[in-house]
Amino acid sequence: MSASNQPSKLNKKVFFPSSALIIALLIYTVIFPKTADSFFHSMQDTVVADGSWFYVLTVAIILMFVIFLGFSQYGSIRLGPDHAKPNFSMLSWLSMLFAAGMGIGLMFFGVAEPVMHFLAPPTADAGTIEAMREAMKMTFFHWGFHAWAIYAVVALILGYFAYRHNLPLTLRSALYPLIGDKIYGWRGHVVDVFAVTSTIFGVSTSLGLGASQINSGLHYVFGLPNNTTVQILLMAGVVAIAIVSVVTGLDKGVRRLSEANMILAVALLLFVLIAGPTVYLLQAYVQNTGAYLSDIVRNTFNLFAYEKTDWIGGWTIFYWGWWLAWAPFVGLFIARISYGRTIREFVVGVLLIPSAFTLLWMTVFGNAALELIFNQGHTELANMVQQDTSVALFVFLEQFPFFNVLSIVSIIMVVIFFVTSCDSGAMVVDMLCSYGKNDTPVWQRIYWAGGVGVVAATLLYVGGLGALQTMTIVSALPFAIILLISLYGLLKALRIEGHKRESLRINNSQVIDSDIGWKERLENIISLPEKTAVNAFMQKVVKPALVEVSNEFEKQLFVTKIEEQDTFKRLTVSMGNEPDFIYSIYLTPMSQPEFLPSEQGTVDSQVKQTYYRAEVHLSEGGQDYDIMGWSRGAVINDIIDHYHKHQHFLHLLN
C-alpha cells in the first residue's frame, strides 16, 4: 500500500495516542516535578555510565556512513524519480536547514560554549593558551560534522523511501526494509507516536529555554523584568507568530522567515568579524579547522576510558543524545525540503556547507570572546557566562559599537529561529499524524503549533523543563538502535538500486527505427510538436504498441496492466515477488530552446513558447529521451529492450 492509497488524511491511531501520551507525561511532570526530575536524571546517569560507548560508536558509524554515501556510486541517485527537480533554490534550502537544524544553538552557544570550555577544559589547565586551543577544538567537535551527519542520515532514509519508493514521509518508513508492509500496522503507529512525542517535548523544551534567553536579553539591554510571567508572554507571542507562519505554509512562511534570518545572521557575523580582530579571527578559523580535522578520529572515539572524568557525560554524550533526540524532527523536515536532490548534492549541502558556516560562526564569536577575556582582561564576560549562559551573547556584544542595534537584531534573530523551529516542528508532527501528507486541514497545524506553546508554558511555570529535556535525551537510546538497523536497510535498498542501474547500462543504444528514412528521423528530432500532435501520437502509436506487448505477455501467462490518463500511458508487467516491470510514456512540456532557426523563431521573443515530448519513464523515473515520431515497431522494440534490462536486473539481485 502506498501513501497515496491511504483512506484518510488524519491517522487517528497516531493522533489520539500521541496526544494522550503527551498529556499524561505533562500531568506527571506538573504534579510530581521533583520526582520526575529525579527519575529522568537517574535514567540519564545510567545511560552515561553504561551506554556512553554505544552513543559514541553509533555517531561514529553514522558519520562514516554519510561520507561513504556522498562519495560512492550511489551519490548520483536522486531523492525522487530520475527526472525530479528540487522544489527550492539552494539559498532557500540552506536557509531552512539552519532554521530547523541548529540556528538557535549558534545564538545561544556561540559565545557561551567556548568560554565554558576555556574555564573548565577536559585536559588542559584552565585559563591558558592551551585551554583556548582545546576550547575551540571541542566546540568544533560538538557542532561540526557529527551533528549534521545525524540529521543527514535520518533525512536520507526518510527522503529515499518516501520519494523513491512512494512510502509515507514519516518515521515508520525507515523500518520498511526490515518489516515491509507491516509498517502500516501497529508497529508503524508505535514508531510515529514515539516520534511525535519526542518532537513535541524537544521543541517545547527548546522554546522554553529560548524564551528565557530572549527575556535575559531584554532584561540586560532594556531592563525588562526577568521572570516566568514575562517568559510565558514572550512564548505566547512566538507561538502566535508561528501559527501564522504554519498556516501560511512552507513555501511562504517558513521559507521567507528562514531566508530573512539567514541574511541577518550573515550581517551580524560580518559585523563582528570586521569590527573585531579580523586578521586574528581569520587565522584562528584556519587553525581551528586544521586542529579539528587532524584530531577528528581520536576525538570521535575518545571515551576518556583511562582518565575517568564526568566531562564527557556533561558535554559530548549530552550533545550526541540531544542531536539524536532531535533527529526524527529535523531529519523529517530536511527530507521534506530536499525532494529532487541527488544523494551527493544532499550530503554536500547538509554535511559540508552547514558545518563550514557553523564553524566559522563559532570561531568569530568564540575566539573574539576568548580574546576579550584572555588578552583584554574582560573577566566580567567570563563571570556572566558562569552565572547565566543566556546573557553571554549580549554581554559579548556590549564590547562593540552600536550595542543597542546589535542586541535588537540578535533578539529578533532568536525570535525568528524559535518561530521557525516551532512551525517546522508543528508541520512535522502534523505530517506524522497524517500519513506523511502536508496538505492537511488548518486546524491540525494550529493544534500542534499551539500545543507546543501550551506544553512549553506549563513546563516553564512548574519548573519541569529540565526533567523533560533529560527524558528527551534518554529517549535517544532506543532511537539510536532503530537508526543503526535502518542504515542497513538503506544500504540494502541502494545496493538493489545499483544493480538496477547496472542493468540499464547493457545494450544501452537507442532504438533505430528502420521503418523510416534518415530524413524523416532528422525531421522528428528537430521538430517542436504541439500538445495535440503528441497526444495523437500517444493514442495512435504508443497505446496500440503497449496493448500488443501486453497481449503477448499474457499469452506467456504474465499478469499485465495498462493505465492511461491525459498525461501518460503505462504498461505494468507483474514479476511476482520481484519488482514489477513498468514502462510509461509521459506527455512532457518543455521550453522552446534558443538555437531555433530564424524561420521557426519568428514568434514574440517575450513570450516563452512551449513544445511537448513523449518521454520514456521507468519505475525509477524519467529516462530523458523522446520517442515522438517513432513507429509502432520501434516503440515495441524499446519496450522489449527495457524489459531485457529489467530481467538482467532481477538476475543481479538473485
Side-chain angles (χ1 to χ4, degrees), residues 516-591:
I516 61 175
W518 69 268
K519 293 182 180 179
E520 288 83 359
R521 285 185 61 210
L522 178 60
E523 184 179 353
N524 287 335
I525 293 170
I526 66 176
S527 65
L528 302 176
E530 296 180 348
K531 185 176 182 178
T532 53
V534 182
N535 268 327
F537 168 75
M538 291 176 66
Q539 197 64 32
K540 295 178 181 179
V541 177
V542 173
K543 184 178 178 180
L546 296 180
V547 171
E548 191 172 342
V549 174
S550 173
N551 292 337
E552 189 61 32
F553 268 111
E554 290 186 346
K555 288 181 183 179
Q556 304 296 328
L557 303 180
F558 284 86
V559 178
T560 68
K561 179 174 66 175
I562 292 180
E563 303 167 85
E564 61 175 317
Q565 292 185 12
D566 293 339
T567 57
F568 71 87
K569 312 289 183 191
R570 177 180 297 140
L571 168 67
T572 301
V573 181
S574 175
M575 307 301 291
N577 295 325
E578 304 290 352
D580 293 341
F581 170 68
I582 299 174
Y583 183 95
S584 310
I585 303 298
Y586 274 76
L587 179 72
T588 307
M590 305 291 291
S591 296

Coordinates of all heavy atoms in Angstrom, one line a residue, residues 516-591:
I516 N 11.5 4.1 -41.1 CA 11.5 5.4 -41.7 C 12.9 5.8 -42.1 O 13.9 5.2 -41.6 CB 11.0 6.5 -40.7 CG1 11.9 6.6 -39.5 CG2 9.6 6.3 -40.4 CD1 11.5 7.7 -38.5
G517 N 13.1 6.6 -43.1 CA 14.4 7.0 -43.6 C 15.0 8.1 -42.7 O 14.4 8.6 -41.8
W518 N 16.3 8.4 -43.0 CA 17.1 9.3 -42.2 C 16.5 10.7 -42.2 O 16.6 11.4 -41.2 CB 18.5 9.2 -42.6 CG 18.9 9.9 -43.9 CD1 18.9 9.2 -45.1 CD2 19.2 11.2 -44.1 NE1 19.3 10.1 -46.1 CE2 19.4 11.4 -45.5 CE3 19.2 12.4 -43.4 CZ2 19.7 12.6 -46.1 CZ3 19.6 13.6 -43.9 CH2 19.8 13.7 -45.3
K519 N 15.9 11.1 -43.3 CA 15.3 12.5 -43.4 C 14.2 12.6 -42.4 O 14.0 13.6 -41.8 CB 14.9 12.8 -44.8 CG 16.1 12.9 -45.8 CD 15.6 13.3 -47.2 CE 16.8 13.4 -48.2 NZ 16.4 13.7 -49.5
E520 N 13.3 11.6 -42.4 CA 12.2 11.6 -41.5 C 12.7 11.6 -40.1 O 12.1 12.3 -39.2 CB 11.3 10.4 -41.8 CG 10.5 10.5 -43.1 CD 11.3 10.0 -44.3 OE1 12.5 9.7 -44.1 OE2 10.7 10.0 -45.4
R521 N 13.7 10.8 -39.8 CA 14.3 10.8 -38.4 C 14.8 12.1 -38.0 O 14.5 12.6 -36.9 CB 15.4 9.7 -38.3 CG 15.0 8.3 -38.3 CD 16.2 7.4 -38.1 NE 16.8 7.7 -36.8 CZ 18.1 7.5 -36.6 NH1 18.9 7.2 -37.6 NH2 18.6 7.8 -35.4
L522 N 15.5 12.8 -38.9 CA 16.0 14.1 -38.6 C 14.9 15.1 -38.4 O 14.9 15.9 -37.4 CB 16.9 14.6 -39.8 CG 17.5 16.1 -39.6 CD1 18.3 16.1 -38.4 CD2 18.3 16.5 -40.9
E523 N 13.8 15.0 -39.2 CA 12.7 15.9 -39.0 C 12.0 15.7 -37.6 O 11.6 16.7 -37.0 CB 11.6 15.7 -40.1 CG 10.5 16.7 -40.1 CD 9.5 16.5 -41.2 OE1 9.8 15.7 -42.1 OE2 8.4 17.1 -41.2
N524 N 11.9 14.4 -37.2 CA 11.3 14.1 -35.9 C 12.2 14.7 -34.8 O 11.7 15.2 -33.8 CB 11.2 12.6 -35.7 CG 10.1 12.0 -36.5 OD1 9.1 12.7 -36.9 ND2 10.2 10.7 -36.8
I525 N 13.5 14.7 -35.0 CA 14.4 15.1 -33.9 C 14.3 16.6 -33.7 O 14.3 17.2 -32.6 CB 15.9 14.7 -34.2 CG1 16.0 13.2 -34.1 CG2 16.9 15.4 -33.2 CD1 17.3 12.6 -34.6
I526 N 14.3 17.4 -34.9 CA 14.4 18.9 -34.8 C 13.0 19.5 -34.6 O 13.0 20.7 -34.4 CB 15.1 19.4 -36.0 CG1 14.3 19.2 -37.3 CG2 16.6 18.9 -36.1 CD1 15.0 19.9 -38.5
S527 N 11.9 18.8 -34.8 CA 10.6 19.4 -34.7 C 10.3 19.6 -33.3 O 10.7 19.0 -32.4 CB 9.6 18.5 -35.4 OG 9.4 17.3 -34.6
L528 N 9.4 20.6 -33.1 CA 8.9 21.0 -31.7 C 7.4 20.9 -31.7 O 6.7 21.9 -31.9 CB 9.4 22.4 -31.4 CG 10.9 22.7 -31.4 CD1 11.2 24.1 -31.1 CD2 11.6 21.8 -30.4
P529 N 6.9 19.7 -31.6 CA 5.4 19.5 -31.7 C 4.6 20.1 -30.7 O 5.0 20.3 -29.5 CB 5.3 17.9 -31.7 CG 6.5 17.5 -30.9 CD 7.6 18.5 -31.2
E530 N 3.4 20.4 -31.0 CA 2.4 20.9 -30.1 C 1.8 19.8 -29.3 O 1.9 18.6 -29.6 CB 1.3 21.7 -30.8 CG 1.8 23.0 -31.5 CD 0.7 23.7 -32.2 OE1 -0.4 23.1 -32.4 OE2 1.0 24.9 -32.7
K531 N 1.0 20.1 -28.3 CA 0.4 19.1 -27.4 C -0.5 18.2 -28.1 O -0.5 17.0 -27.9 CB -0.4 19.9 -26.3 CG -0.9 18.9 -25.2 CD -1.6 19.8 -24.1 CE -2.1 18.8 -23.0 NZ -2.7 19.7 -21.9
T532 N -1.3 18.7 -29.0 CA -2.3 17.9 -29.7 C -1.6 16.8 -30.6 O -2.1 15.7 -30.7 CB -3.2 18.8 -30.6 OG1 -2.4 19.6 -31.5 CG2 -4.1 19.7 -29.8
A533 N -0.5 17.2 -31.2 CA 0.3 16.3 -32.0 C 0.8 15.1 -31.2 O 0.8 13.9 -31.6 CB 1.4 17.0 -32.7
V534 N 1.4 15.4 -30.0 CA 1.9 14.4 -29.2 C 0.8 13.5 -28.6 O 0.9 12.3 -28.5 CB 2.8 15.0 -28.0 CG1 3.4 13.9 -27.2 CG2 3.9 15.9 -28.6
N535 N -0.3 14.1 -28.2 CA -1.5 13.4 -27.8 C -1.9 12.4 -28.8 O -2.2 11.2 -28.5 CB -2.6 14.3 -27.4 CG -2.6 14.7 -25.9 OD1 -2.1 13.9 -25.1 ND2 -3.0 15.8 -25.6
A536 N -2.0 12.8 -30.1 CA -2.4 12.0 -31.2 C -1.4 10.8 -31.3 O -1.8 9.7 -31.6 CB -2.6 12.8 -32.4
F537 N -0.1 11.1 -31.3 CA 0.9 10.1 -31.4 C 0.7 9.0 -30.3 O 0.8 7.8 -30.6 CB 2.3 10.7 -31.3 CG 3.4 9.7 -31.2 CD1 3.8 9.0 -32.2 CD2 4.0 9.6 -29.9 CE1 4.9 8.1 -32.0 CE2 5.1 8.7 -29.7 CZ 5.5 7.9 -30.8
M538 N 0.5 9.5 -29.0 CA 0.4 8.6 -27.9 C -0.9 7.7 -28.1 O -0.9 6.5 -27.7 CB 0.3 9.3 -26.6 CG 1.7 10.0 -26.3 SD 1.6 11.0 -24.7 CE 1.3 9.8 -23.5
Q539 N -1.9 8.3 -28.7 CA -3.2 7.5 -28.8 C -3.1 6.5 -30.0 O -3.6 5.4 -29.9 CB -4.3 8.5 -29.1 CG -5.7 7.9 -28.9 CD -6.0 7.4 -27.4 OE1 -5.5 8.0 -26.5 NE2 -6.7 6.3 -27.3
K540 N -2.5 6.9 -31.1 CA -2.4 6.1 -32.4 C -1.3 5.2 -32.4 O -1.4 4.1 -33.1 CB -2.4 7.1 -33.6 CG -3.7 7.9 -33.7 CD -3.6 8.8 -34.9 CE -4.8 9.7 -35.1 NZ -4.7 10.6 -36.3
V541 N -0.1 5.5 -31.7 CA 1.0 4.6 -31.8 C 1.4 4.0 -30.5 O 1.6 2.8 -30.4 CB 2.2 5.5 -32.4 CG1 3.5 4.6 -32.4 CG2 1.9 6.0 -33.7
V542 N 1.5 4.8 -29.4 CA 2.0 4.3 -28.2 C 1.0 3.3 -27.6 O 1.4 2.2 -27.2 CB 2.3 5.4 -27.2 CG1 2.6 4.9 -25.8 CG2 3.4 6.3 -27.7
K543 N -0.3 3.7 -27.5 CA -1.2 2.8 -26.9 C -1.4 1.5 -27.6 O -1.3 0.4 -26.9 CB -2.6 3.5 -26.8 CG -3.7 2.7 -26.1 CD -5.0 3.4 -26.0 CE -6.1 2.5 -25.3 NZ -7.4 3.3 -25.2
P544 N -1.5 1.4 -28.9 CA -1.5 0.1 -29.6 C -0.3 -0.7 -29.4 O -0.4 -1.9 -29.2 CB -1.7 0.5 -31.1 CG -2.3 1.8 -31.1 CD -1.8 2.5 -29.9
A545 N 0.9 -0.1 -29.3 CA 2.1 -0.8 -29.0 C 2.1 -1.4 -27.6 O 2.5 -2.6 -27.5 CB 3.3 0.1 -29.1
L546 N 1.6 -0.7 -26.6 CA 1.5 -1.2 -25.3 C 0.5 -2.4 -25.2 O 0.8 -3.4 -24.5 CB 1.1 -0.1 -24.3 CG 2.0 1.1 -24.1 CD1 1.4 2.1 -23.1 CD2 3.4 0.6 -23.6
V547 N -0.6 -2.2 -25.9 CA -1.6 -3.3 -25.9 C -1.1 -4.5 -26.6 O -1.3 -5.7 -26.1 CB -2.9 -2.8 -26.7 CG1 -3.8 -4.0 -26.9 CG2 -3.6 -1.7 -25.9
E548 N -0.3 -4.4 -27.7 CA 0.2 -5.5 -28.4 C 1.2 -6.3 -27.5 O 1.2 -7.5 -27.5 CB 0.9 -5.0 -29.7 CG 1.3 -6.2 -30.6 CD 1.7 -5.7 -32.0 OE1 1.4 -4.5 -32.3 OE2 2.4 -6.5 -32.7
V549 N 2.1 -5.5 -26.9 CA 3.1 -6.2 -26.0 C 2.4 -6.8 -24.8 O 2.8 -7.9 -24.4 CB 4.1 -5.1 -25.5 CG1 5.1 -5.8 -24.4 CG2 4.9 -4.6 -26.6
S550 N 1.4 -6.2 -24.2 CA 0.6 -6.7 -23.1 C 0.0 -8.0 -23.5 O 0.0 -9.0 -22.7 CB -0.4 -5.7 -22.6 OG -1.3 -6.3 -21.7
N551 N -0.6 -8.1 -24.7 CA -1.3 -9.3 -25.1 C -0.3 -10.5 -25.2 O -0.6 -11.6 -24.9 CB -2.0 -9.1 -26.4 CG -3.2 -8.2 -26.3 OD1 -3.8 -8.0 -25.2 ND2 -3.6 -7.5 -27.4
E552 N 0.9 -10.1 -25.7 CA 1.9 -11.2 -25.9 C 2.4 -11.7 -24.6 O 2.6 -12.9 -24.4 CB 3.1 -10.6 -26.7 CG 4.1 -11.7 -27.2 CD 3.5 -12.8 -28.0 OE1 2.6 -12.4 -28.8 OE2 4.0 -13.9 -27.9
F553 N 2.6 -10.8 -23.6 CA 3.0 -11.2 -22.2 C 1.9 -12.1 -21.6 O 2.2 -13.1 -21.0 CB 3.2 -10.0 -21.3 CG 4.6 -9.5 -21.3 CD1 5.0 -8.3 -21.9 CD2 5.6 -10.2 -20.7 CE1 6.3 -7.8 -21.9 CE2 7.0 -9.8 -20.7 CZ 7.3 -8.5 -21.3
E554 N 0.7 -11.8 -21.8 CA -0.4 -12.6 -21.2 C -0.5 -13.9 -21.9 O -0.9 -14.9 -21.2 CB -1.7 -11.8 -21.3 CG -1.8 -10.6 -20.4 CD -3.1 -9.9 -20.4 OE1 -3.9 -10.2 -21.3 OE2 -3.3 -9.0 -19.5
K555 N -0.1 -14.0 -23.1 CA 0.0 -15.3 -23.8 C 1.0 -16.2 -23.1 O 0.9 -17.4 -23.1 CB 0.3 -15.2 -25.3 CG -0.8 -14.7 -26.1 CD -0.4 -14.6 -27.6 CE -1.5 -14.0 -28.5 NZ -1.1 -13.8 -29.9
Q556 N 2.1 -15.5 -22.5 CA 3.1 -16.3 -21.8 C 2.8 -16.4 -20.3 O 3.6 -16.7 -19.5 CB 4.4 -15.5 -22.0 CG 4.9 -15.3 -23.4 CD 5.2 -16.5 -24.1 OE1 5.6 -17.5 -23.5 NE2 4.9 -16.5 -25.4
L557 N 1.5 -16.1 -20.0 CA 0.9 -16.3 -18.6 C 1.4 -15.3 -17.6 O 1.4 -15.5 -16.4 CB 1.2 -17.7 -18.1 CG 0.7 -18.9 -19.0 CD1 1.1 -20.2 -18.3 CD2 -0.8 -18.8 -19.2
F558 N 1.9 -14.1 -18.1 CA 2.2 -13.0 -17.2 C 0.9 -12.2 -16.9 O 0.0 -12.1 -17.8 CB 3.3 -12.1 -17.9 CG 4.7 -12.6 -17.8 CD1 5.1 -13.5 -18.8 CD2 5.5 -12.3 -16.8 CE1 6.4 -14.0 -18.8 CE2 6.8 -12.8 -16.7 CZ 7.3 -13.6 -17.7
V559 N 0.9 -11.5 -15.8 CA -0.2 -10.6 -15.4 C 0.2 -9.2 -15.8 O 1.3 -8.7 -15.3 CB -0.6 -10.7 -13.9 CG1 -1.7 -9.7 -13.6 CG2 -1.0 -12.1 -13.6
T560 N -0.6 -8.5 -16.6 CA -0.2 -7.2 -17.0 C -1.3 -6.2 -16.7 O -2.5 -6.6 -16.5 CB 0.1 -7.1 -18.5 OG1 -1.1 -7.4 -19.3 CG2 1.2 -8.2 -18.9
K561 N -1.0 -4.9 -16.8 CA -2.0 -3.9 -16.6 C -1.6 -2.7 -17.4 O -0.5 -2.3 -17.4 CB -2.1 -3.5 -15.1 CG -3.1 -2.4 -14.8 CD -3.2 -2.2 -13.3 CE -2.0 -1.6 -12.7 NZ -2.1 -1.3 -11.2
I562 N -2.6 -2.1 -18.1 CA -2.4 -0.9 -18.9 C -3.2 0.2 -18.2 O -4.4 0.1 -18.0 CB -2.8 -1.1 -20.4 CG1 -1.8 -2.1 -21.0 CG2 -2.8 0.3 -21.1 CD1 -2.1 -2.3 -22.5
E563 N -2.5 1.3 -18.0 CA -3.2 2.5 -17.4 C -3.0 3.7 -18.3 O -1.9 3.8 -19.0 CB -2.6 2.9 -16.0 CG -2.6 1.7 -15.0 CD -1.7 2.0 -13.8 OE1 -2.2 2.7 -12.9 OE2 -0.6 1.6 -13.8
E564 N -3.9 4.6 -18.4 CA -3.8 5.8 -19.2 C -4.6 6.9 -18.6 O -5.6 6.8 -18.0 CB -4.3 5.5 -20.6 CG -5.7 5.1 -20.8 CD -6.1 5.0 -22.3 OE1 -5.7 5.9 -23.1 OE2 -6.8 4.0 -22.7
Q565 N -4.0 8.1 -18.7 CA -4.6 9.4 -18.4 C -4.2 10.4 -19.5 O -3.6 10.0 -20.4 CB -4.1 9.8 -17.0 CG -4.6 9.0 -15.8 CD -4.2 9.6 -14.5 OE1 -3.8 10.7 -14.4 NE2 -4.4 8.8 -13.4
D566 N -4.6 11.6 -19.3 CA -4.3 12.6 -20.3 C -2.8 12.8 -20.5 O -2.4 13.2 -21.6 CB -5.0 13.9 -19.9 CG -6.5 13.9 -20.0 OD1 -7.0 13.0 -20.6 OD2 -7.1 14.7 -19.3
T567 N -2.0 12.6 -19.4 CA -0.6 12.9 -19.5 C 0.3 11.7 -19.6 O 1.5 11.8 -19.8 CB -0.2 13.6 -18.2 OG1 -0.5 12.8 -17.0 CG2 -0.9 15.0 -18.1
F568 N -0.2 10.4 -19.6 CA 0.7 9.3 -19.7 C -0.1 8.1 -20.1 O -1.3 7.9 -20.0 CB 1.4 9.0 -18.4 CG 0.5 8.4 -17.3 CD1 0.3 7.1 -17.2 CD2 -0.1 9.3 -16.3 CE1 -0.5 6.5 -16.2 CE2 -0.9 8.8 -15.3 CZ -1.1 7.4 -15.2
K569 N 0.7 7.1 -20.7 CA 0.3 5.7 -21.0 C 1.3 4.8 -20.3 O 2.5 5.0 -20.4 CB 0.3 5.4 -22.5 CG -0.4 6.5 -23.4 CD -1.9 6.5 -23.2 CE -2.6 7.5 -24.2 NZ -4.0 7.7 -23.9
R570 N 0.8 3.8 -19.6 CA 1.7 2.9 -18.8 C 1.3 1.5 -19.0 O 0.2 1.1 -18.9 CB 1.6 3.3 -17.4 CG 2.5 2.4 -16.4 CD 2.3 2.9 -15.0 NE 2.8 4.2 -14.8 CZ 2.2 5.1 -14.0 NH1 1.1 4.8 -13.4 NH2 2.7 6.4 -13.9
L571 N 2.4 0.7 -19.1 CA 2.3 -0.8 -19.1 C 3.0 -1.3 -17.8 O 4.2 -1.0 -17.6 CB 2.9 -1.4 -20.3 CG 3.2 -2.9 -20.3 CD1 1.8 -3.7 -20.3 CD2 4.0 -3.4 -21.5
T572 N 2.4 -2.2 -17.1 CA 3.0 -2.8 -15.9 C 2.9 -4.3 -16.1 O 1.8 -4.8 -16.4 CB 2.3 -2.4 -14.6 OG1 2.3 -1.0 -14.4 CG2 2.9 -3.1 -13.4
V573 N 4.0 -5.0 -15.9 CA 4.1 -6.4 -16.0 C 4.5 -6.9 -14.6 O 5.6 -6.6 -14.1 CB 5.1 -6.9 -17.1 CG1 5.2 -8.4 -17.1 CG2 4.8 -6.3 -18.4
S574 N 3.6 -7.7 -14.0 CA 3.9 -8.3 -12.7 C 5.0 -9.3 -12.8 O 4.9 -10.2 -13.6 CB 2.6 -8.9 -12.1 OG 2.8 -9.5 -10.9
M575 N 5.9 -9.2 -11.8 CA 7.0 -10.2 -11.7 C 7.0 -11.0 -10.4 O 8.0 -11.4 -9.9 CB 8.4 -9.4 -11.8 CG 8.5 -8.5 -13.0 SD 8.3 -9.3 -14.6 CE 9.8 -10.3 -14.6
G576 N 5.7 -11.2 -9.9 CA 5.6 -12.0 -8.7 C 6.1 -11.2 -7.5 O 5.7 -10.1 -7.2
N577 N 7.0 -11.8 -6.8 CA 7.6 -11.2 -5.6 C 8.7 -10.3 -5.9 O 9.2 -9.6 -5.0 CB 8.1 -12.3 -4.6 CG 6.9 -13.2 -4.0 OD1 5.8 -12.7 -3.8 ND2 7.2 -14.5 -3.8
E578 N 9.1 -10.2 -7.1 CA 10.2 -9.3 -7.5 C 9.6 -8.0 -8.0 O 8.4 -7.9 -8.2 CB 11.0 -9.9 -8.7 CG 11.6 -11.3 -8.3 CD 12.7 -11.2 -7.3 OE1 13.1 -10.1 -6.9 OE2 13.2 -12.3 -6.9
P579 N 10.5 -6.9 -8.1 CA 10.0 -5.6 -8.6 C 9.3 -5.7 -10.0 O 9.8 -6.4 -10.9 CB 11.2 -4.8 -8.6 CG 12.2 -5.4 -7.6 CD 11.9 -6.9 -7.7
D580 N 8.1 -5.1 -10.1 CA 7.4 -5.1 -11.4 C 8.2 -4.4 -12.5 O 8.9 -3.5 -12.2 CB 6.0 -4.5 -11.2 CG 5.1 -5.3 -10.3 OD1 5.4 -6.5 -10.2 OD2 4.1 -4.8 -9.8
F581 N 7.9 -4.8 -13.7 CA 8.4 -4.0 -14.9 C 7.4 -3.0 -15.2 O 6.3 -3.3 -15.5 CB 8.7 -4.9 -16.1 CG 9.0 -4.2 -17.3 CD1 10.2 -3.5 -17.4 CD2 8.1 -4.2 -18.4 CE1 10.5 -2.8 -18.6 CE2 8.4 -3.5 -19.6 CZ 9.6 -2.8 -19.7
I582 N 7.9 -1.7 -15.3 CA 7.0 -0.6 -15.6 C 7.6 0.2 -16.8 O 8.7 0.6 -16.7 CB 6.8 0.3 -14.4 CG1 6.1 -0.5 -13.2 CG2 5.9 1.5 -14.7 CD1 6.0 0.3 -11.9
Y583 N 6.8 0.4 -17.8 CA 7.2 1.2 -19.0 C 6.1 2.2 -19.2 O 4.9 1.9 -19.5 CB 7.4 0.3 -20.2 CG 7.9 1.1 -21.4 CD1 9.3 1.1 -21.7 CD2 7.0 1.7 -22.3 CE1 9.8 1.8 -22.8 CE2 7.5 2.3 -23.4 CZ 8.9 2.4 -23.7 OH 9.3 3.1 -24.8
S584 N 6.4 3.5 -19.2 CA 5.4 4.6 -19.4 C 5.9 5.6 -20.4 O 7.2 5.8 -20.6 CB 5.2 5.3 -18.0 OG 4.9 4.4 -17.0
I585 N 5.0 6.2 -21.0 CA 5.3 7.4 -21.9 C 4.5 8.6 -21.3 O 3.3 8.5 -21.2 CB 4.9 7.1 -23.4 CG1 5.6 5.9 -23.9 CG2 5.2 8.3 -24.2 CD1 7.1 6.0 -23.9
Y586 N 5.2 9.6 -21.0 CA 4.6 10.8 -20.4 C 4.6 12.0 -21.4 O 5.6 12.2 -22.1 CB 5.4 11.2 -19.2 CG 4.9 10.6 -17.9 CD1 5.3 9.3 -17.6 CD2 4.1 11.2 -17.0 CE1 4.9 8.6 -16.5 CE2 3.7 10.6 -15.8 CZ 4.1 9.3 -15.6 OH 3.6 8.7 -14.4
L587 N 3.5 12.7 -21.5 CA 3.4 13.9 -22.2 C 4.1 15.0 -21.4 O 3.6 15.4 -20.3 CB 2.0 14.3 -22.4 CG 1.7 15.6 -23.2 CD1 2.0 15.4 -24.6 CD2 0.2 16.0 -23.0
T588 N 5.3 15.5 -21.9 CA 6.2 16.3 -21.1 C 6.3 17.7 -21.7 O 6.8 17.8 -22.8 CB 7.5 15.7 -20.9 OG1 7.4 14.4 -20.4 CG2 8.4 16.5 -19.9
P589 N 5.9 18.8 -21.1 CA 6.1 20.1 -21.6 C 7.5 20.6 -21.5 O 8.2 20.3 -20.5 CB 5.1 21.0 -20.8 CG 5.0 20.3 -19.5 CD 5.1 18.8 -19.8
M590 N 8.0 21.3 -22.5 CA 9.4 21.8 -22.5 C 9.4 23.2 -23.0 O 8.6 23.6 -23.8 CB 10.3 20.9 -23.3 CG 10.3 19.4 -23.0 SD 11.1 19.1 -21.4 CE 12.8 19.5 -21.8
S591 N 10.3 24.0 -22.5 CA 10.5 25.4 -23.0 C 11.2 25.3 -24.3 O 12.2 24.6 -24.5 CB 11.3 26.2 -22.0 OG 10.6 26.4 -20.8

